[in-house]
Amino acid sequence: RELTIKETQAVSLEILYTITQICEKQGLRYSLIYGTLIGAIRHQDYIPWDDDVDIMMPRRDYDQFLEYMKIHRKEYPDLRIFNLDECKEYPYMITRISDDRYIIKMENEKPYGMGVFIDIYPYDGLGTTEKEAVTYGMKGDRLSSLCYQEHFAIETTTSLFRKIIKYPVFIGSKLIGKDYFQKKLNQLVKLKEYEDSNYIGCVVWLSGGKKEIFLRKWFDETVMVPFEKYQFRVPKDYDEVLRHTYG
């Protein structure tokens, strides 16, 4: 049967709790981000109509977390990792942790075998100045958009020029293949260190442009906040983070 939104939220919550408990025990940094952060601050829970869960990890912690999950895979039999290393058909450069007891049906994605999942965004250093961060970040965004080649969509494109070139670019990227662009992205994320940068963001998924480029100092400290029956970490400067992204 189909899950209700509340049931889906409950499953996502348990995935989130499992992941964050690993982070706490292993000393790995993480924070709620995007709509999940709004929910935590405004509702101490999900945004009522949202079943999506987003967290960020600095790249070094992200890599250590994935290595931990590989070693301890048998301890989490219901959880499955989706990223380029674990699923070659998967087109994204972020990781999704999925509960294998469920099956998700999406209209705009192939059935990779995912169930209810949460998104983990690796955050990289983007540079010391805003201009450097925007230039570097948007290069990553262009490459990541070329990795997703399942369906052609133009509904969200507003620029006439982009509407004209979008289909030829879509066909060209499909002919080249996502592996090429994913390799380029993997090279790109190694160019700047998180700790050495004033600006940070998810180079491999920077769809919001400047709104998703943050000052690193906003994330240097975290605080625990209530979220449903648990508590999770958020940036101590969550107000600056949320106003920067959402106004």
Side-chain angles (χ1 to χ4, degrees):
R1 66 179 179 83
E2 186 174 348
L3 298 183
T4 66
I5 190 167
K6 292 296 291 183
E7 289 172 327
T8 305
Q9 288 174 342
V11 176
S12 297
L13 181 67
E14 294 306 319
I15 301 172
L16 176 61
Y17 180 71
T18 299
I19 299 314
T20 57
Q21 285 298 105
I22 292 170
C23 289
E24 296 290 346
K25 291 174 182 176
Q26 298 301 312
L28 302 176
R29 293 170 292 177
Y30 79 89
S31 173
L32 306 186
I33 195 67
Y34 309 130
T36 312
L37 179 56
I38 292 179
I41 301 304
R42 193 168 67 193
H43 305 279
Q44 294 78 55
D45 201 339
Y46 288 91
I47 297 173
W49 53 88
D50 188 18
D51 61 1
D52 188 33
V53 173
D54 300 317
I55 68 172
M56 62 77 72
M57 290 185 188
R59 174 68 64 173
R60 185 181 303 170
D61 302 78
Y62 173 86
D63 289 342
Q64 290 176 8
F65 168 75
L66 292 178
E67 186 61 29
Y68 177 91
M69 290 299 288
K70 285 181 182 179
I71 295 170
H72 297 268
R73 194 184 302 266
K74 290 182 179 179
E75 297 174 29
Y76 307 97
D78 296 324
L79 297 185
R80 184 176 170 191
I81 300 169
F82 284 88
N83 56 32
L84 182 58
D85 291 333
E86 299 289 337
C87 179
K88 296 302 179 184
E89 297 80 28
Y90 181 74
Y92 306 119
M93 298 293 286
I94 65 169
T95 290
R96 285 175 172 170
I97 306 294
S98 166
D99 190 322
D100 250 1
R101 293 171 295 180
Y102 304 89
I103 299 172
I104 191 167
K105 294 183 179 180
M106 296 190 188
E107 294 180 358
N108 62 342
E109 288 189 16
K110 283 184 177 180
Y112 306 112
M114 277 188 291
V116 179
F117 64 86
I118 74 168
D119 289 326
I120 305 179
Y121 291 83
Y123 270 35
D124 293 291
L126 299 181
T128 56
T129 68
E130 184 181 35
K131 182 178 180 181
E132 179 186 5
V134 171
T135 300
Y136 181 60
M138 296 317 294
K139 183 176 182 180
D141 180 56
R142 287 192 293 272
L143 283 171
S144 65
S145 67
L146 294 171
C147 294
Y148 184 69
Q149 303 161 359
E150 302 305 327
H151 300 277
F152 175 71
I154 204 167
E155 293 86 352
T156 58
T157 306
T158 54
S159 162
L160 178 60
F161 175 72
R162 289 191 175 188
K163 285 183 178 180
I164 292 170
I165 69 167
K166 193 165 187 178
Y167 189 69
V169 169
F170 171 75
I171 295 298
S173 65
K174 203 170 180 67
L175 289 171
I176 294 170
K178 70 176 181 63
D179 292 352
Y180 172 83
F181 300 110
Q182 288 175 326
K183 183 179 178 180
K184 287 288 186 183
L185 270 171
N186 272 329
Q187 293 169 348
L188 187 69
V189 301
K190 297 173 182 176
L191 296 182
K192 299 181 190 293
E193 286 290 334
Y194 182 95
E195 307 295 350
D196 297 335
S197 296
N198 293 330
Y199 291 87
I200 60 170
C202 186
V203 176
V204 299
W205 193 305
L206 205 70
S207 57
K210 283 186 178 182
K211 291 182 177 181
E212 292 182 10
I213 294 174
F214 305 102
L215 285 169
R216 195 201 72 220
K217 65 181 182 181
W218 291 342
F219 289 83
D220 281 348
E221 292 184 57
T222 58
V223 293
M224 300 291 280
V225 299
F227 191 100
E228 227 266 1
K229 61 182 178 180
Y230 299 123
Q231 289 196 340
F232 300 115
R233 293 192 181 275
V234 304
K236 184 178 179 182
D237 294 327
Y238 60 80
D239 191 62
E240 282 83 354
V241 172
L242 289 174
R243 288 182 186 278
H244 176 72
T245 304
Y246 300 107

